[in-house]
Amino acid sequence: MPSQLDALRQYTTVVADTGDFEAMRAHRPTDATTNPSLILKAVQKPAYRPLLDKLLAGHPGAATAELAERLLVAFGLEILGIVPGRVSTEVDARLSFDTQATIERARRLVARYRHAGIDRERILIKIASTWEGIQAARVLQREGIRCNLTLLFSLPQAVACADAGVQLISPFVGRIYDWYKKAAGAQWDEAAHAGAQDPGVQSVARIYNYYKARGIQTEIMGASFRNKSQILALAGCDLLTISPELLGELAAADAPIERRLDPAHAAQAAGDTLPCDEISFRSLLNQDAMATEKLAEGIRVFVADAIKLEALIDAARRPA
């Protein structure tokens, strides 16, 4: 009997959410995603220190910010030697509210990959789903630079991304679940909010149905999972990016799974069409306390980890 991981692959493209090369080799994902937090975690492991040492030796006079950018690409290049598909590389979260700076950084990342012989079709530039980030993605997509819009917690964000013609969105499941669980406090009923009743799962299903009912081509990649049931409840989503721990759980289980999301049923739950102009975007996002808070929090966390990564690089380049 096939494992749940192999069964999931019948309905969904499996993506590794990690900077750990060995985990990717073990679980054979099609694509891989990274972010500053994952790279920071990976580069502190002895197995990955040679990547940083090689970078420092090859660019002794480079500024710390440049070295951090080169390190992200170095990880991406290693990942592309393992997975057959694409890798997502993130624009510095400190640029999340600067459209032009995001565009320029994305162009530079793609140029670095191109210099290493990688076609842009294998690269997704990861950008926070702020209004400014979405407008940067609009420009980049027109240039043929494919974008992955991350830190996405609401349908208005997803609608704006579709209007911008982005390649892929990453709606977060686990962080939505976290917010509602914390808000409920002692009143939270885990069993009542499991599987299809999980608020994070419901958010992704809402986006999926909205997109498929309208023939929107933007790919949907569920992300940020806290448990296996969240993943199985989204079987059928275009892609799911999964941590090594949960990939391992899926690989070790063989209970049957069934498709939960299907374009054929999307129109039945598609909902009304939302406007996607700037005022509507900001107003609708502001009305959603969860999405507003989790977007801001996510940017702060990624900024903090980008700063920690630069500090680690500075420490590594100082003489012992």
Side-chain angles (χ1 to χ4, degrees):
M1 181 176 293
S3 70
Q4 288 187 322
L5 182 57
D6 287 334
L8 182 65
R9 289 190 172 106
Q10 298 176 56
Y11 311 122
T12 294
T13 297
V14 173
V15 180
D17 192 16
T18 181
D20 188 319
F21 306 149
E22 294 310 314
M24 293 179 208
R25 292 189 179 98
H27 297 296
R28 302 177 289 106
T30 300
D31 295 348
T33 59
T34 65
N35 62 45
S37 303
L38 293 173
I39 298 300
L40 175 66
K41 181 179 178 181
V43 80
Q44 294 179 78
K45 296 180 179 180
Y48 301 109
R49 182 56 184 259
L51 263 182
L52 177 57
D53 292 339
K54 181 180 178 181
L55 193 66
L56 293 174
H59 305 277
T64 302
E66 179 187 339
L67 289 170
E69 187 177 304
R70 288 183 177 276
L71 184 63
L72 295 179
V73 173
F75 265 87
L77 291 171
E78 292 288 331
I79 289 168
L80 288 171
I82 300 170
V83 303
R86 306 168 294 187
V87 68
S88 292
T89 298
E90 192 142 351
V91 168
D92 192 325
R94 287 169 285 193
L95 306 180
S96 295
F97 302 102
D98 189 330
T99 297
Q100 190 56 41
T102 295
I103 292 169
E104 292 168 3
R105 183 65 58 88
R107 288 169 176 162
R108 197 161 69 223
L109 287 168
V110 170
R112 292 194 190 283
Y113 277 110
R114 186 170 62 245
H115 182 73
I118 302 298
D119 292 335
R120 63 174 57 185
E121 287 75 16
R122 298 195 68 197
I123 308 303
L124 290 171
I125 298 299
K126 210 169 176 184
I127 301 169
S129 298
T130 58
W131 178 260
E132 295 81 3
I134 295 168
Q135 300 321 303
R138 185 188 300 275
V139 174
L140 293 165
Q141 287 284 158
R142 289 173 179 168
E143 295 178 1
I145 296 174
R146 299 176 181 182
C147 299
N148 171 356
L149 273 290
T150 188
L151 294 176
L152 195 147
F153 302 97
S154 68
L155 184 58
Q157 288 174 291
V159 171
C161 288
D163 183 68
V166 306
Q167 181 71 30
L168 180 147
I169 60 170
S170 295
F172 280 29
V173 176
R175 297 193 195 192
I176 295 175
Y177 162 88
D178 293 343
W179 190 91
Y180 281 101
K181 184 175 182 178
K182 181 179 180 181
Q187 304 304 312
W188 178 260
D189 184 338
E190 188 68 34
H193 294 93
Q197 303 308 311
D198 184 297
V201 169
Q202 291 177 334
S203 179
V204 176
R206 192 177 305 120
I207 292 167
Y208 180 93
N209 290 329
Y210 188 100
Y211 273 22
K212 301 309 179 186
R214 291 165 176 80
I216 293 170
Q217 296 302 303
T218 296
E219 300 171 61
I220 304 165
M221 180 169 70
S224 170
F225 294 104
R226 298 292 179 260
N227 54 64
K228 191 177 71 170
S229 71
Q230 292 174 336
I231 296 168
L232 297 180
L234 290 172
C237 192
D238 298 336
L239 308 95
L240 297 174
T241 182
I242 306 170
S243 69
E245 294 76 17
L246 291 174
L247 286 171
E249 286 188 31
L250 290 165
D254 61 5
I257 70 172
E258 60 184 72
R259 181 166 194 160
R260 299 300 182 90
L261 300 182
D262 192 327
H265 304 139
Q268 301 168 19
D272 296 332
T273 298
L274 294 185
C276 50
D277 59 280
E278 181 177 359
I279 292 174
S280 296
F281 174 89
R282 295 192 187 280
S283 298
L284 291 169
L285 186 61
N286 186 65
Q287 290 173 26
D288 188 333
M290 176 278 297
T292 300
E293 292 173 20
K294 297 308 287 186
L295 173 60
E297 178 189 72
I299 292 171
R300 287 195 299 270
V301 168
F302 284 166
V303 167
D305 284 341
I307 292 170
K308 289 177 186 176
L309 183 60
E310 291 180 354
L312 187 152
I313 292 169
D314 278 336
R317 70 195 306 186
R318 285 195 292 267

